[in-house]
């Protein structure tokens, strides 16, 4: 140990390599004390900044007698000098450093550790990015000479080429970006065969300066690949070299000129790799083909030469053999073979996608039929993740006019229909220990329930779309098969299963899952039949239509004649019957009447003793009313002819039903809809009759009792039946009970809960929402029913709004612990716990929806059940109030034109909104958003300012506060909060942030058109309001300071919120705003200065934060935009940057001048900013060494990630990038 102390603490005078070596020994010696190790580290860090560091680095790295760790440190000194001090070197110094690097590269051997060789390659690339094609013109020659040496030299060259390609074309590399397009052109020059280069760029002369030889690197690599694969045998070096070549090819295959691929005979050579007996070679070859066929820019000639060979018999047979070999058993999964199976299916997806895009280019002698059979074979795979890619391709093929009706496709329709019919099952409802192979694979591939929900949603969507398109192509045969199969399942539902029993009722019983799957297939078939019917003409085809429609009708009537005891089974049958009535049988009004009558006669035999069954019965009743409303909207003209019978039956149903006012109102709304939308009723009597429905409702809103109850917080609590909740909570000391769900509810608690339930039913909120929805849903503006709805509600809206707004305001105030004045301060946490919603949502919740609701039901008679009743009561007031406002907004001027509305509405919605939970705030934003977005132009100037100003103030306050809490809790967490709870809270906060940001995106979309102005007349402002023309809503906001200021403040703070999607979107939005404030007007100057200070500071701070590493290019682009647009008009951006440490004025001035020169090259702009702020940039967690290398068998590809995104579209030419951000980028003119 004492020997370790014999090195200087500082590098005074000459530094010896021995001193460096001893310091490294201390750092890596486990016996060293912390203080000694720290001193040694400081010494080594000081050496790093020494001007002689490159020399010391070279001498250490070149001395092969040194330990590998010492040589690696020497290389690090050299690399650091290149990265950070290259611009300060003279021509002689830079040439010397380059010669040192070349010397190291020439002496590399097989004995050198992998990390030594990788570091030498990295230094080479760093030098190349700074000097190649500028003052280093013979780099390609140097590489070729290395290529002729040992296998180790070849692998070094491959690593250099791979890294160079990734930095120039793949990554947002700063050094490469600073060179503009020079490096791109140089790379194309040296990789492309000379013959191809001259053919594509006949006038290009720069290639003679940087390339060496005629072949180009693509041909050299292809030749080496063939050599390695041909001599493969048991030679490990050749196998490893083949894999290395393939890895390098993968990095370049997306940008090379396609003609060079065929010139190098690369496709044939890659297919030979697929036939290899070495699995890593097969995997790497599939990867290259995947990246190649993900290419979107093939000319017709390139397509024939590069893509066409994949459809030939020999290639398809090879793919089939490889696929069959890669398939694994679910009970004995070979990870590497399974990985090959998944990668192969993804590659086949892209070849299938290209087939659908250009079927006319497929040669006549191709093996197209064999390729399509392979697609069916892949679709049958028990692994849904393997299968989904083939299903996606089939969706595309069946949507192709040229392919869908071709004989190779039609011959496989039966098999494909069978696959999809078998796979349309709710896999998430099957038990985790299910022996079903697909379930086993699903748990192997996807760890979390949210991922499975999203993935399975896409899988089911593809299956249904395939069924739909098959029926559209071959309706008679396909429907015969589908309906026959469905009837067989429905009529033998309990074969092999226990008979239906209320006592053992389950929502995921095998009989129900079978029926649900068949109903899903039939529903998809109905969509297909509707499209077929729409696309057909008369004559003989008309007779075929008649036969198909009659068969559908007979089948459905037969199913309706069966008896079902399971409420869920009844639900699916009813949904199916309504699908028939509103789909292919929509012209048969008598059949619709039959379905209407069937639903109206459904019996609801409840049994509260069995909660699961009782809940299903309630769901059935709600579904029946919903479907009756749908039929009433669609067939009002026919139903009005039997209105008296319907009215009598509904009166009977209501009389037989419970005293639930909500259910009664929904039934009455059916009569309202029929009366409102039937065209055969005289206008006068119809309006009178409709007003009779609404008069009692409006009268309830005007009652003095209701107004008095809404006069104070305490009276509001009494109105909701929870006036005694504070005393009850205090007396039972709920703050001392850790788990409320285990504490049974006493009689007083049960009575309190019952009062709340009764109280909500007496409020006019739900009934108002129901009748407003019945008045405006699914109506076209200016239609007769819509105009009638406006007349009906015009007089009533001002009578409802005062108490409605008070209700919403008090419901928000209910969440403020300060209003619970009867509770001691230490119990404020109880208020938050009581009012924190329990909810299930894809992407956030763990477990299935049914499991969640079952858990909620199990706690009904506990303290948690009481808390649930409290929050449900308040939530009903709050969210029903939001919906009423949304429906009112659909009435246009009859809502927006009230001069007195904006102020009270803003106060009701936002005064106490800060007290809402994050989830509740997100719900409010999403629900109120349509009220803002549909505001007519004529009402915009008086309605929007107070609403938007208050909204963004509250969003900013809430989001900033909650993100601060998250960060503080992360810093201070000591196990007080469970990881699941912490992740859930952060996920909900991300959702709220994203909802808020998307509102901003929608409002500031420069291409957004004005709403059509529902209820306006000839564009004139209603009720004498002043008319102000502001263009679209973006122009209005930019010209309204009281809205603009809180909005930009929210955007500024959003840059620091730790949600990648939101931050990326906000930087793009702000980037689009920066050029807007370039005038000398006071508001422009004020905003410009704010952006130049606060926005710029926020960008720099996030750039320094390691969390935002992946967003550094977005942040850099925004900074570049600020500098380009504002530096000529303001000195503030420069002063902010000059206040940063290590920011010399000359460096900043040079960067700004470079930005002006690069004004058309956004990548170069980003590189200039990132280089300017290099010393401040955050480092990713992986670069810090805190993350282990992921298991390659578990790393998901881009296409796998896409299938775990909710609602992947079945059609379109989508790439593997996330679609939403790309669309937003285009919207705001971003690259």
């Amino acid at each position: 140990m004492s020997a370790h102390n014999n090195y200087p603490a500082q590098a005074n005078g000459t530094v010896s390599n021995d001193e460096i070596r001893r310091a490294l020994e201390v750092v890596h010696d486990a016996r060293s004390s912390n203080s000694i190790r720290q001193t040694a580290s400081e010494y080594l860090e000081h050496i790093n900044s020494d001007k002689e560091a490159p020399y010391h680095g070279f001498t250490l790295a070149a001395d092969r007698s040194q330990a590998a760790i010492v040589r690696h440190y020497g290389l690090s000194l050299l690399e650091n000098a290149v990265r950070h001090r290259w611009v300060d070197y003279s021509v002689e110094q830079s040439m010397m450093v380059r010669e040192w690097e070349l010397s190291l590269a020439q002496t590399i051997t097989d004995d050198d550790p992998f990390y030594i060789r990788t570091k030498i390659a990295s230094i080479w690339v760093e030098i190349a990015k700074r000097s190649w094609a500028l003052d280093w013109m013979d780099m390609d020659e140097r590489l070729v000479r290395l290529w002729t040496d040992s296998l180790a030299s070849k692998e070094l060259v491959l690593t250099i080429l791979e890294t160079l390609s990734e930095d120039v074309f793949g990554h947002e590399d700063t050094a490469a970006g600073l060179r503009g397009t020079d490096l791109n052109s140089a790379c194309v020059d040296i990789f492309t065969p000379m013959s191809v280069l001259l053919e594509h760029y006949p006038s290009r002369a720069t290639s003679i300066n940087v390339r060496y030889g005629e072949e180009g690197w693509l041909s050299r690599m292809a030749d080496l690949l063939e050599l390695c694969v041909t001599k493969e045998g048991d030679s490990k070096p050749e196998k490893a070299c083949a894999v290395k070549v393939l890895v390098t090819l993968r990095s370049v295959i997306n940008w090379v000129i396609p003609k060079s691929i065929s010139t190098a005979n690369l496709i044939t050579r890659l297919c030979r790799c697929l036939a290899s007996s070495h699995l890593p070679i097969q995997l790497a070859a599939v990867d290259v083909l995947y990246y190649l066929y993900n290419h979107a820019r093939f000319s017709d000639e390139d397509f024939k030469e590069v893509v066409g060979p994949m459809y030939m018999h020999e290639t398809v047979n090879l793919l089939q053999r490889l696929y069959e070999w890669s398939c694994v058993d679910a009970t004995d999964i070979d990870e590497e073979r399974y990985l090959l199976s998944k990668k192969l299916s993804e590659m086949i997806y892209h070849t299938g996608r290209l087939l659908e895009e250009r079927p006319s280019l497929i040669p006549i002698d191709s093996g197209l039929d064999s390729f399509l059979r392979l697609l069916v074979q892949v679709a049958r795979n028990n692994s849904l993740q393997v299968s989904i890619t083939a299903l996606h391709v089939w969706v595309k093929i069946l949507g192709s006019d040229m392919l869908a009706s071709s004989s190779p496709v039609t011959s496989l329709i039966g098999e494909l229909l069978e696959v999809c019919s078998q796979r349309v099952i709710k896999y998430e409802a099957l038990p985790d220990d299910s022996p079903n192979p697909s379930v086993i694979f699903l748990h192997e591939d996807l760890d979390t329930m949210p991922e499975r929900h999203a993935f399975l949603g896409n899988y089911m969507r593809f299956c249904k779309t395939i069924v739909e398109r098959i029926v559209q192509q071959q309706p008679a045969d396909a429907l015969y098969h589908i309906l026959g199969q469905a009837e067989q399942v429905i009529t033998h539902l309990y074969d092999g299963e226990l008979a239906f029993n209320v006592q053992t009722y389950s929502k995921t019983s095998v009989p129900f899952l079978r029926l649900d799957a068949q109903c899903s297939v039939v529903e998809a078939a109905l969509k297909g039949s509707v499209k077929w019917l729409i696309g057909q003409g008369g004559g003989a085809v008309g007779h075929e239509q008649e036969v198909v429609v009659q068969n559908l009708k007979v089948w459905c009537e037969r199913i309706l004649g069966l008896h079902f005891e399971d409420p869920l089974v009844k639900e699916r049958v009813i949904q199916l019957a309504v699908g028939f009535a509103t789909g292919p049988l929509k012209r048969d009004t008598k059949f619709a009447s039959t379905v209407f009558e069937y639903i109206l006669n459904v019996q609801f035999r409840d049994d509260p003793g069995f909660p699961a069954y009782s809940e299903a019965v309630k769901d059935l009743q709600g579904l029946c009313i919903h479907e009756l409303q749908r039929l009433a909207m669609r067939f009002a003209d026919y139903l009005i002819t039997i209105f008296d019978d319907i009215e009598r039956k509904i009166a009977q149903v209501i009389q037989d039903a419970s005293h639930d006012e909500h259910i009664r109102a929904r039934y009455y709304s059916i009569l309202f809809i029929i009366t409102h939308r039937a065209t055969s009723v005289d206008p006068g009597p119809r309006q009178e009759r409709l007003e009779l429905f609404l008069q009692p409702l409006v009268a309830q809103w005007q009652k003095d009792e209701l107004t008095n109850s809404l006069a104070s917080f305490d009276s509001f609590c009494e109105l909701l039946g929870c006036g005694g909740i504070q005393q009850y909570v205090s007396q039972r000391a709920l703050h001392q009970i850790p788990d409320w769900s285990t504490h049974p509810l006493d009689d007083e608690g049960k009575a309190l809960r019952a009062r709340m339930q009764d109280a909500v039913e007496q409020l006019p909120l739900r009934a108002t929402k129901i009748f407003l929805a019945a008045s405006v849903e699914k109506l076209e503006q200016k239609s007769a029913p819509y105009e009638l709805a406006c007349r009906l509600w015009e007089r009533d809206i001002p009578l409802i709004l005062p108490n409605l707004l008070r209700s919403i305001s008090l419901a928000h105030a209910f969440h403020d612990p300060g209003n619970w004045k009867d509770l001691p301060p230490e119990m404020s946490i109880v208020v938050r716990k009581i009012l924190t919603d329990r909810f299930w949502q894809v992407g956030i919740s763990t477990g299935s929806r049914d499991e969640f609701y079952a858990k909620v039901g199990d706690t009904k008679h506990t303290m948690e059940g009481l808390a649930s009743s409290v929050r449900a009561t308040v939530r009903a007031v709050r969210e029903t109030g939001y919906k009423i406002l949304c429906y009112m907004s659909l009435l246009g001027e009859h809502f927006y034109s009230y001069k007195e509305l904006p102020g009270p509405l803003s106060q009701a919605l936002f005064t106490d909104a800060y007290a809402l939970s994050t989830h509740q705030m997100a719900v409010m934003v999403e629900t109120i958003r349509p009220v803002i977005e549909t505001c007519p132009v004529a009402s915009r100037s008086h309605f929007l300012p107070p609403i938007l100003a208050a909204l963004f103030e509250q969003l900013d306050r809430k989001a900033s506060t909650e993100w601060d809490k998250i960060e503080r809790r992360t810093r201070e967490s000591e196990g007080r909060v469970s990881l699941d709870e912490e992740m859930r809270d952060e996920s909900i906060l991300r959702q709220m942030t994203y909802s808020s940001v998307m509102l901003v995106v929608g409002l500031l979309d420069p291409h957004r058109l004005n709403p059509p102005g529902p209820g306006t007349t000839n564009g004139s402002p209603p009720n004498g309001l002043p008319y102000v023309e502001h263009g679209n809503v973006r122009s209005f906001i930019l010209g309204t300071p009281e809205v603009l200021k809180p909005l930009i403040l929210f955007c500024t703070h959003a840059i620091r919120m730790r949600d990648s999607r939101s931050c990326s979107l906000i930087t793009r939005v702000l980037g689009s705003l920066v050029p807007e404030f370039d005038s000398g007007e006071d508001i422009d100057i004020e905003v410009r200065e704010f952006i130049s200070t606060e926005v710029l500071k926020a960008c720099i701070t996030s750039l320094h934060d390691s969390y935002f590493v992946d967003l550094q290019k977005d942040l850099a682009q925004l900074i570049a935009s600020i500098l380009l647009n504002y530096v000529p008009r303001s000195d503030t951006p420069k002063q902010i940057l000059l206040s940063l440490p290590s920011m010399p004025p000359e460096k900043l001035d040079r960067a700004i001048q470079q930005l002006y020169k690069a004004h058309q090259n956004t990548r170069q702009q980003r590189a200039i900013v990132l280089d300017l702020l290099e010393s401040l940039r955050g480092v990713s967690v992986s670069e810090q060494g805190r993350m282990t290398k992921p298991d390659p068998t578990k790393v998901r590809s881009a296409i796998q990630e896409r299938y775990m995104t909710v609602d992947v579209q079945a059609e379109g030419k989508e790439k593997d990038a996330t679609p939403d951000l790309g669309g937003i980028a285009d919207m705001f003119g971003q690259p």
Side-chain angles (χ1 to χ4, degrees), residues 487 490-491 552-564 569-581 585 590-599 601-602 631:
E487 186 169 5
I490 293 172
T491 54
L552 288 171
K553 179 179 178 180
V554 170
W555 187 90
C556 188
E557 287 176 339
R558 197 158 56 239
I559 298 302
L560 289 178
L562 300 176
H563 174 69
F564 305 104
V569 171
K570 285 184 182 179
E571 269 193 41
R572 290 303 278 125
V573 171
I574 289 170
Q575 287 174 321
L576 196 58
V578 173
F580 274 83
L585 305 181
K590 289 187 178 180
F591 177 77
S593 174
T594 300
V595 175
F596 190 93
E597 184 180 356
Y598 175 86
I599 300 173
N601 287 319
V602 169
L631 291 171

Side-chain angles (χ1 to χ4, degrees), residues 884-1147:
I884 290 173
L885 291 172
C886 286
Y887 287 130
M888 285 182 173
S889 71
L890 295 178
L891 297 170
E893 68 170 64
H894 305 288
F895 172 74
Y896 289 101
S897 63
Y898 295 112
K899 296 180 181 179
E900 301 81 6
L901 175 59
L905 177 60
S906 174
Q907 292 174 10
L909 289 173
F910 308 123
T911 298
D912 292 307
Y914 69 90
L916 298 175
S917 70
T918 307
H919 171 66
Q920 290 156 358
M921 181 73 91
V923 170
M924 184 187 71
V925 171
E926 285 299 320
T927 314
I928 294 299
R929 183 174 170 179
V931 178
I932 296 169
E933 294 182 338
T934 58
C935 177
V937 175
S939 300
R940 192 179 281 164
S941 60
H942 93 282
F943 183 83
L944 286 183
I947 304 294
L948 290 178
L951 171 60
F952 284 110
E953 285 171 4
Q954 291 300 324
L955 288 178
D956 185 30
R957 176 181 179 182
K958 185 69 178 180
S960 298
T961 301
E962 294 299 325
W963 278 113
D964 287 345
K965 286 181 183 177
I966 290 285
E967 292 189 31
R968 187 166 59 251
R969 188 167 68 183
T970 301
R971 291 193 302 268
E972 301 173 358
S973 177
E974 297 177 357
R976 293 185 295 272
V977 181
S978 70
L979 182 60
D980 285 346
E981 184 178 343
E982 188 172 328
M983 292 176 64
R984 182 202 65 200
D985 290 349
E986 189 164 341
S987 182
I988 296 169
L989 181 54
R990 290 183 196 281
Q991 185 185 54
M992 189 206 83
T993 305
Y994 185 67
S995 295
S996 305
V997 167
M998 287 306 296
L999 174 62
V1000 174
V1001 169
L1003 292 173
L1004 295 181
D1005 177 4
H1007 308 299
R1008 184 190 184 95
L1009 298 177
N1010 286 323
T1016 58
T1017 306
N1018 299 324
S1020 301
N1023 293 359
L1025 289 171
Y1027 184 84
V1028 182
E1029 177 56 58
H1030 282 287
N1032 63 10
V1033 72
R1034 174 188 172 99
S1035 301
F1036 169 76
I1037 290 174
L1038 296 184
T1040 310
E1042 63 182 292
V1043 176
L1044 179 62
K1045 291 179 181 179
L1047 185 148
I1048 288 188
L1049 185 61
F1050 167 75
C1051 291
T1052 305
H1053 293 156
I1055 293 174
R1056 295 289 300 128
M1057 296 173 189
R1058 295 192 164 209
D1059 178 58
S1060 298
R1061 289 189 307 172
S1062 299
C1063 182
S1064 179
L1065 289 174
I1066 282 297
T1067 57
R1068 297 169 193 267
V1069 171
L1070 285 170
S1072 78
L1073 293 182
V1074 167
E1076 299 281 355
F1077 305 101
D1078 59 355
S1079 76
E1081 296 181 11
D1082 290 346
I1083 181 61
D1084 279 17
I1085 294 172
E1086 183 180 355
V1087 173
R1088 188 162 63 232
E1089 289 301 303
F1090 180 85
I1091 292 176
S1092 298
T1093 52
E1094 301 306 320
V1095 173
L1096 184 56
K1097 286 179 181 177
C1099 288
I1100 295 169
T1101 306
S1102 290
L1103 197 69
H1104 181 64
D1105 192 329
S1106 60
Y1107 175 84
F1108 296 96
V1109 164
D1110 292 337
L1111 297 174
Q1112 286 185 355
K1113 65 177 184 178
D1114 296 319
L1115 295 163
Q1117 190 63 58
L1118 179 53
I1119 294 172
S1121 181
I1122 293 171
L1123 293 174
L1124 282 169
N1125 285 278
Y1126 291 169
V1127 166
R1129 297 173 178 83
S1130 171
D1131 199 45
T1132 305
K1134 290 181 65 175
Q1135 294 305 317
I1136 294 295
L1137 290 170
L1138 288 172
S1139 68
L1140 299 173
S1142 304
M1143 183 60 68
E1146 60 275 11
K1147 181 179 179 182

Side-chain angles (χ1 to χ4, degrees), residues 225-273:
L225 179 64
E226 183 169 23
L227 181 66
C228 291
V229 173
T230 304
K231 294 184 177 181
E232 179 188 326
D234 293 325
S235 173
K236 289 184 178 180
E238 274 74 15
K239 290 179 180 178
C241 186
V243 172
K244 183 62 182 175
V245 172
L246 289 166
V247 170
T248 306
L249 283 171
R250 182 186 65 184
S251 73
V252 307
I253 204 71
N254 252 333
W255 57 262
V256 294
I257 298 173
K259 178 69 175 177
S260 62
I261 295 173
S262 55
T263 301
N265 197 23
L266 188 57
I267 302 301
T268 301
R269 288 162 166 177
L270 289 171
C271 287
R272 286 175 188 161
C273 292

Side-chain angles (χ1 to χ4, degrees), residues 737-744 838 855 858-859 862-865:
I737 300 175
D739 187 355
W740 293 355
S741 63
T742 61
H743 200 87
R838 293 186 294 178
K855 184 177 180 181
D858 291 341
T859 62
T862 66
M863 288 293 185
E864 179 57 45

